[in-house]
Amino acid sequence: MPPNTTASTGDKPGKSGRKKGRKARLIVLVLVLALIGGVVYGAYWSISTVRSSFPQTKGTVTLQGLSGPVDVKRDGYGIPQIYASSAEDLFMAQGFVQAQDRFYEMDVRRHMTSGRLSEMFGKGQVKNDAFLRTLGWNRVAQREYDTKLSASTKKYLQAYAEGVNAYLKGKDASDISLEYAALGFTNDYRPGRWTPVDSVSWLKAMAWDLRGNMQDEVDRALMTSRLGPKQIKDLYPDYPYARNKAIVTEGQYDALGRTFRASGGAGTPTGTAGSAGTSTGTGRPSGTAGTHGTSGTAGTGRSPGAGGTPASSGSGVQSQLMGLHDAMQDLPSAVGVNGDGIGSNSWVVSGKYTITGKPLLANDPHLGPALPSVWYQMGLHCRTVSSACPYDVTGYTFAGMPGVVIGHNQDIAWGMTNSGVDVTDLYLEKLSGDGYLRDDKVVPFTTRQETIKVAGGAAKTITVRETGNGPLLSDRDDELVTVGRKAAVDTAAPDRGDGYAIALKWTALEPGTTMDAVFALDKAKDFGEFRSAAALFDVPSQNLIYADTRNHIGYTLPGRIPVRAKTDDGSIPAPGWDSKYDWTGYLKQDELPYEYDPKRGYIVTANQAVVDPKTYPYALTTDWGYGARSQRISDLIQSKIDGGGKISTEDMRQMQLDNSSEIAKLLVPKLLKIDIGDKDVRQAQKLLEGWDYTQNADSAAAAYFNAVWRNVLKLAFGNKLPKELRVKGQCLWVEPSDTTGPADEAQKVRECGERDSDQAQPDGGDRWFEVVRTLMDDENSDWWKAPAAGTRPKADNRDELFRRAMIDARWELTAKLGKDIDTWSWGRLHRLFLKNQTLGSDGPGFLQYALNRGPWKLSGGEAAVNAAGWNAAGGYGVIWVPSMRMVVNLADLDKSRWINLTGASGHAFSAHYTDQTGKWAKGDLLTWSYSPDAVDRSTSDKLTLKP
């Protein structure tokens, strides 16, 4: 029962409307609770049981430990702005207020990060807890708190914890949330006190979901069972630097002030990255079309080093890696879809191109949808800003963590997107007795015992083993241990002996200072202080954009980024027994790229390449996003500039809502040239005539095109991937993986996919855009071949496969939406369901009905700027979203705008549970009050906290 916790000017609802809404909710609530009480449990839950957990938002509350009074002002959406006279009071009040709204969410999160979900939810979580204990997030967080964080950060964390515990004091679990009341029927669990380390641990969960290319590393190795190096290279094409520009083209990258070669040709690079080795090899895609490709190391356009990497071959290692994927897939997700498909947009425009004459900054992180949203909006204000109380900041944070993560203060604004730099490596370790092989010597494991308490059952004790590269993830599955003893590897590897295991090396498994960075960002006043704060933001590595009220814009890449030996680029698992594959250190902060006031007047980050390797001497990753979103945003900004216009806050909002499909622009002209004989398919094809490639929710053309795109991917690539990457339950007759030539029909075996639908490949993202673009002119590529299926014709070339995809798409949508294409729309396929964490996913059906919300029919799509993402292998449902949207106006901060995916409250029947979702779905933004006067004007409820 893994939890998945994630993150237009709106008018404030009138009081009468709010009362009517509350009355309607209470009527529904009576019915739901009567059902729960009378039918299921034979008990009666009164309205007071539910309402008792709602926060007090008016009047006065005494809070022991405060040094002075604190005001909590909430607007019509329940968003709090806190005013205090000392920093400690400010963060204590933040803890109290967040616990009022979201404590159940906070409690689940801390049990997840510490590997203690079994204490809440029973034996079904033991496997997840064991994996999380092996990673050891909570242990690292404790070391971080003990040895790395500053005295002031510890003081603020302690104050925050005191505020949370002040809220908990004297409350029964059922007084805290409806979910606890439901848990009480099967479990006598009671929440414990909050600790500072509980807050720090959450940063590890965030880092895990934003960890970079680890899944690509696993996938490339799994592909070697059916694809040769040439085919794998086809599926991981080089980044198109000439077409989709990197983030930094005019910046600097080291303490000597050395610069990148600017796009206009100015400047000279001082060093260049080593030339990329190109994977070689021929062969045909295996599976339903062609013969099995040459076995070998998965290529990514980089040489894996002499001798190859042993993790790339052998059925035993394949099973090891699939077991690892399964374990990761089942893990609770902190902010996304277990690290896959997570993107984000942020950009900033200089005042010389804006209506206001000052910068505008936009951000919308793309994360997994959850209820409540991962983000919590609030303001933290010292009544008098001074060195003793330096905070006057507002924005988005996480429930359970003090400070503001993304937002603005009185001087600067900042946003974040995931940089995607490679900060994880998997190592294949050679086991030998009670140790592991290291440069021809056996080294003993570092071990520890972990005891997992289980609600309603016996405790389970596990042993965690670590090598010098990190914890053995493969120990968490008995089958993996057995497989490791039988793993086949290449001739460069040592003898099998006692088998092989998989270890994880990850920057977040060392104590860091990210919590210090949050407080430093919140009080930074200029670009120098911003970069100094960013230097503390070691994990996860993020693209940080910047703007200030003095009309400057900037970008910096922070993070603890490893330097690898020249024999390894981190793209595939490495041999742990050979020290040549060790990390040799980390890039220094002044070796990382940044930009300040670039001449072009804007900076765009959307998970594309940070730098062009021709102009930057250090390796960051080979697995960037491919730049479809970033280049579209840049084109929208540049077209406005070229037209002589000035950019407004409304323009920034409209750019966030851009639904244009970049892959449709490439494919539709080809699709329209294909002769279609079937009148029903021809009727669907005509939808694409005159279509502007915009994926609006009411568009029939968007529905049909995306169905065609899904079927192109399935026929050309999906049916040729190994079962470990295909959708669970999707079964095909394929050639055995050890076949070296074409197999006759009698030799083929039935293989069924093994991956959850939101994790399978091909997912249809912009990597697949680039795959298809690269193959487009090779009309007779083996990738375009597909066998006949029933009455559906076979394909021997590109256009025949496109025709087949159009036929398949027509009948797929007929089954899903009906034969009458006049009733088709993208929104009927592309729907968002919001599920309450834990009980909303795996609770009884009636409880899911009470806790969950939706669906909403959404515009947007995969790799569109309005990135309502879906997995083309699995279906059309929305699996990641712009988790919030904001536009900061540095000329007048009170004219900034923001929105959250859900609402401020985690209480299922609160008026603020999903009161922002409808506006979010339409693309509206709410007024974002900042100044004291603006906050007072928008205040609906005021609570005073007194010592």
Side-chain angles (χ1 to χ4, degrees):
M1 184 171 55
N4 178 19
T5 62
T6 325
S8 122
T9 301
D11 296 325
K12 185 167 64 179
K15 292 183 178 178
S16 61
R18 290 200 300 273
K19 288 180 179 178
K20 290 178 181 178
R22 292 190 186 110
K23 184 176 180 181
R25 290 184 181 92
L26 289 178
I27 292 170
V28 173
L29 184 56
V30 169
L31 296 175
V32 170
L33 294 181
L35 176 65
I36 294 172
V39 178
V40 182
Y41 294 112
Y44 177 73
W45 286 4
S46 67
I47 296 299
S48 62
T49 303
V50 177
R51 291 181 64 90
S52 65
S53 64
F54 288 5
Q56 179 180 341
T57 59
K58 295 181 179 180
T60 302
V61 172
T62 300
L63 221 58
Q64 188 174 357
L66 288 176
S67 62
V70 176
D71 292 327
V72 181
K73 301 177 181 181
R74 295 177 184 262
D75 68 9
Y77 289 89
I79 300 170
Q81 304 282 342
I82 301 176
Y83 291 84
S85 298
S86 75
E88 291 91 330
D89 284 356
L90 191 64
F91 295 117
M92 184 177 181
Q94 184 182 15
F96 180 85
V97 170
Q98 287 192 339
Q100 281 187 305
D101 282 334
R102 301 274 193 98
F103 183 76
Y104 177 76
E105 174 193 7
M106 294 163 57
D107 199 19
V108 170
R109 283 180 175 178
R110 66 167 166 174
H111 279 77
M112 179 185 74
T113 57
S114 58
R116 295 167 47 225
L117 286 168
S118 300
E119 295 178 17
M120 294 184 75
F121 305 111
K123 63 182 180 180
Q125 288 299 306
V126 169
K127 188 173 182 180
N128 283 336
D129 282 347
F131 193 90
L132 291 163
R133 295 285 185 97
T134 300
L135 288 172
W137 293 346
N138 194 252
R139 292 169 56 85
V140 178
Q142 185 68 60
R143 289 165 56 202
E144 203 160 284
Y145 182 81
D146 291 340
T147 65
K148 287 287 187 178
L149 298 181
S150 67
S152 62
T153 293
K154 290 183 181 180
K155 182 170 59 177
Y156 299 155
L157 286 165
Q158 290 162 359
Y160 181 90
E162 288 174 10
V164 176
N165 292 327
Y167 167 76
L168 295 176
K169 187 176 181 180
K171 286 185 172 63
D172 292 331
S174 60
D175 294 330
I176 297 173
S177 80
L178 175 63
E179 290 91 337
Y180 287 124
L183 277 178
F185 286 103
T186 58
N187 187 353
D188 61 357
Y189 171 80
R190 294 292 183 270
R193 289 176 59 80
W194 192 265
T195 73
V197 174
D198 291 334
S199 295
V200 179
S201 294
W202 176 241
L203 293 171
K204 301 303 174 186
M206 183 177 72
W208 175 255
D209 278 358
L210 303 174
R211 62 192 176 270
N213 77 332
M214 184 173 168
Q215 191 60 59
D216 287 321
E217 196 172 332
V218 171
D219 286 357
R220 276 190 289 262
L222 290 171
M223 285 179 184
T224 60
S225 68
R226 286 210 165 269
L227 303 176
K230 172 64 167 62
Q231 286 74 50
I232 297 173
K233 174 72 169 93
D234 286 345
L235 303 186
Y236 287 89
D238 293 334
Y239 185 91
Y241 290 99
R243 186 176 68 254
N244 295 341
K245 300 301 182 185
I247 296 171
V248 177
T249 58
E250 303 175 42
Q252 298 180 340
Y253 63 81
D254 65 16
L256 299 178
R258 290 182 285 189
T259 61
F260 299 93
R261 180 166 58 236
S263 57
T268 303
T270 60
T272 57
S275 60
T278 302
S279 294
T280 59
T282 58
R284 294 157 57 90
S286 67
T288 58
T291 60
H292 178 59
T294 305
S295 176
T297 301
T300 61
R302 304 289 188 269
S303 171
T309 299
S312 65
S313 61
S315 61
V317 176
Q318 299 290 323
S319 298
Q320 283 260 19
L321 290 169
M322 189 56 199
L324 173 60
H325 169 83
D326 289 344
M328 293 191 301
Q329 179 172 277
D330 290 341
L331 278 183
S333 173
V335 296
V337 191
N338 286 332
D340 290 342
I342 294 177
S344 296
N345 301 323
S346 68
W347 66 94
V348 60
V349 181
S350 169
K352 67 180 178 180
Y353 294 129
T354 68
I355 287 176
T356 66
K358 292 288 181 69
L360 294 170
L361 184 149
N363 197 187
D364 56 288
H366 306 155
L367 305 172
L371 183 59
S373 166
V374 68
W375 297 112
Y376 186 91
Q377 299 154 284
M378 69 188 319
L380 301 170
H381 309 278
C382 293
R383 290 192 179 95
T384 301
V385 176
S386 65
S387 58
C389 193
Y391 298 101
D392 189 13
V393 62
T394 181
Y396 298 83
T397 187
F398 302 122
M401 202 177 88
V404 166
V405 176
I406 294 174
H408 72 80
N409 60 29
Q410 67 272 39
D411 297 304
I412 75 166
W414 67 95
M416 297 184 189
T417 63
N418 196 25
S419 71
V421 299
D422 189 358
V423 296
T424 61
D425 277 344
L426 295 174
Y427 283 86
L428 189 65
E429 302 284 11
K430 164 69 172 62
L431 305 183
S432 182
D434 293 328
Y436 60 98
L437 193 67
R438 177 70 171 168
D439 289 337
D440 299 322
K441 295 180 180 179
V442 176
V443 180
F445 294 109
T446 300
T447 63
R448 68 176 188 271
Q449 300 289 314
E450 295 274 355
T451 299
I452 300 170
K453 298 178 181 178
V454 182
K460 178 181 175 63
T461 299
I462 64 169
T463 299
V464 177
R465 299 189 296 176
E466 294 189 9
T467 73
N469 290 315
L472 292 186
L473 303 187
S474 50
D475 276 1
R476 299 286 63 89
D477 191 305
D478 292 339
E479 181 181 350
L480 295 184
V481 177
T482 301
V483 168
R485 295 194 183 106
K486 301 178 180 180
V489 294
D490 66 20
T491 56
D495 291 338
R496 177 181 296 117
D498 293 332
Y500 298 92
I502 295 173
L504 170 67
K505 193 171 187 67
W506 178 32
T507 55
L509 296 183
E510 292 296 324
T513 55
T514 301
M515 198 69 243
D516 284 341
V518 172
F519 293 115
L521 283 171
D522 286 354
K523 63 182 181 180
K525 295 182 178 299
D526 55 36
F527 191 63
E529 291 186 6
F530 172 77
R531 289 202 74 219
S532 295
L536 301 169
F537 205 104
D538 43 26
V539 290
S541 177
Q542 298 286 285
N543 297 309
L544 295 181
I545 60 166
Y546 166 94
D548 65 37
T549 56
R550 292 169 297 283
N551 210 6
H552 299 291
I553 64 173
Y555 163 87
T556 193
L557 175 70
R560 184 186 295 151
I561 299 172
V563 177
R564 294 174 173 84
K566 293 182 180 179
T567 52
D568 177 32
D569 68 0
S571 64
I572 50 178
W577 52 82
D578 189 340
S579 61
K580 292 198 303 288
Y581 290 85
D582 286 356
W583 293 359
T584 58
Y586 300 97
L587 291 177
K588 298 176 182 177
Q589 179 64 23
D590 61 13
E591 293 172 329
L592 296 176
Y594 68 95
E595 274 192 338
Y596 187 60
D597 289 338
K599 292 179 181 178
R600 65 183 178 278
Y602 57 89
I603 301 170
V604 176
T605 84
N607 316 113
Q608 80 271 39
V610 172
V611 293
D612 187 328
K614 295 189 182 75
T615 67
Y616 183 68
Y618 309 111
L620 298 176
T621 188
T622 60
D623 289 309
W624 308 111
Y626 280 76
R629 282 180 289 108
S630 62
Q631 195 56 46
R632 175 62 177 172
I633 295 166
S634 294
D635 290 345
L636 290 170
I637 295 171
Q638 192 62 50
S639 65
K640 189 79 172 182
I641 293 171
D642 291 343
K646 296 285 188 177
I647 295 172
S648 66
T649 300
E650 176 62 13
D651 291 328
M652 300 284 275
R653 183 186 76 87
Q654 291 288 352
M655 291 177 193
Q656 289 179 324
L657 303 179
D658 183 77
N659 295 317
S660 177
S661 170
E662 296 305 300
I663 190 61
K665 295 174 185 177
L666 176 69
L667 288 187
V668 167
K670 304 289 187 185
L671 298 175
L672 289 175
K673 291 180 180 178
I674 293 173
D675 183 32
I676 298 292
D678 186 301
K679 64 180 180 62
D680 291 312
V681 180
R682 171 61 185 143
Q683 184 186 29
Q685 182 188 36
K686 290 175 68 175
L687 291 172
L688 304 179
E689 296 176 359
W691 180 44
D692 63 358
Y693 314 122
T694 298
Q695 301 169 99
N696 292 332
D698 60 359
S699 171
Y704 182 59
F705 172 77
N706 281 315
V708 174
W709 171 235
R710 166 173 149 83
N711 281 279
V712 166
L713 291 171
K714 179 179 178 181
L715 293 167
F717 310 106
N719 290 350
K720 297 160 191 171
L721 295 176
K723 64 182 183 296
E724 292 89 354
L725 275 70
R726 297 201 313 269
V727 175
K728 190 178 295 182
Q730 180 195 91
C731 300
L732 300 168
W733 288 95
V734 301
E735 298 163 11
S737 60
D738 58 355
T739 301
T740 57
D744 60 36
E745 292 301 316
Q747 291 177 303
K748 289 186 176 182
V749 296
R750 190 170 185 262
E751 282 188 353
C752 297
E754 298 179 354
R755 222 170 244 198
D756 285 351
S757 60
D758 62 356
Q759 302 282 305
Q761 293 293 337
D763 61 22
D766 66 354
R767 173 164 67 89
W768 293 99
F769 291 12
E770 197 63 25
V771 168
V772 170
R773 186 187 297 276
T774 303
L775 293 170
M776 201 66 154
D777 293 334
D778 186 1
E779 298 182 25
N780 296 306
S781 167
D782 285 321
W783 290 111
W784 300 128
K785 301 181 188 303
T791 60
R792 309 290 167 81
K794 72 172 183 176
D796 287 321
N797 57 47
R798 184 198 68 194
D799 286 353
E800 288 180 0
L801 186 136
F802 284 1
R803 179 184 293 110
R804 166 73 179 279
M806 294 171 76
I807 295 169
D808 288 357
R810 173 38 157 138
W811 299 116
E812 180 187 2
L813 293 197
T814 297
K816 291 181 180 295
L817 303 179
K819 188 172 182 178
D820 184 358
I821 65 173
D822 290 338
T823 68
W824 291 2
S825 71
W826 178 225
R828 287 182 62 196
L829 291 172
H830 192 54
R831 298 186 298 167
L832 170 66
F833 290 85
L834 290 175
K835 291 189 175 182
N836 183 280
Q837 58 176 349
T838 65
L839 300 181
S841 299
D842 289 302
F846 68 86
L847 196 55
Q848 292 188 38
Y849 180 82
L851 296 176
N852 298 340
R853 300 292 183 269
W856 286 267
K857 299 176 180 179
L858 296 189
S859 301
E862 188 62 37
V865 179
N866 185 17
W870 54 287
N871 185 302
Y876 303 98
V878 177
I879 59 172
W880 53 81
V881 294
S883 56
M884 61 80 157
R885 297 186 184 101
M886 73 176 197
V887 179
V888 182
N889 183 331
L890 277 299
D892 185 345
L893 294 168
D894 286 330
K895 292 183 179 178
S896 301
R897 299 289 183 265
W898 64 350
I899 195 80
N900 203 355
L901 172 64
T902 60
S905 180
H907 299 287
F909 295 97
S910 165
H912 305 306
Y913 191 48
T914 55
D915 57 341
Q916 297 185 51
T917 309
K919 289 181 175 295
W920 171 91
K922 291 187 292 186
D924 293 343
L925 297 175
L926 306 177
T927 298
W928 185 354
S929 299
Y930 174 68
S931 69
D933 287 345
V935 169
D936 284 344
R937 287 194 298 271
S938 64
T939 295
S940 293
D941 294 345
K942 179 181 175 181
L943 176 69
T944 300
L945 306 177
K946 290 188 174 180

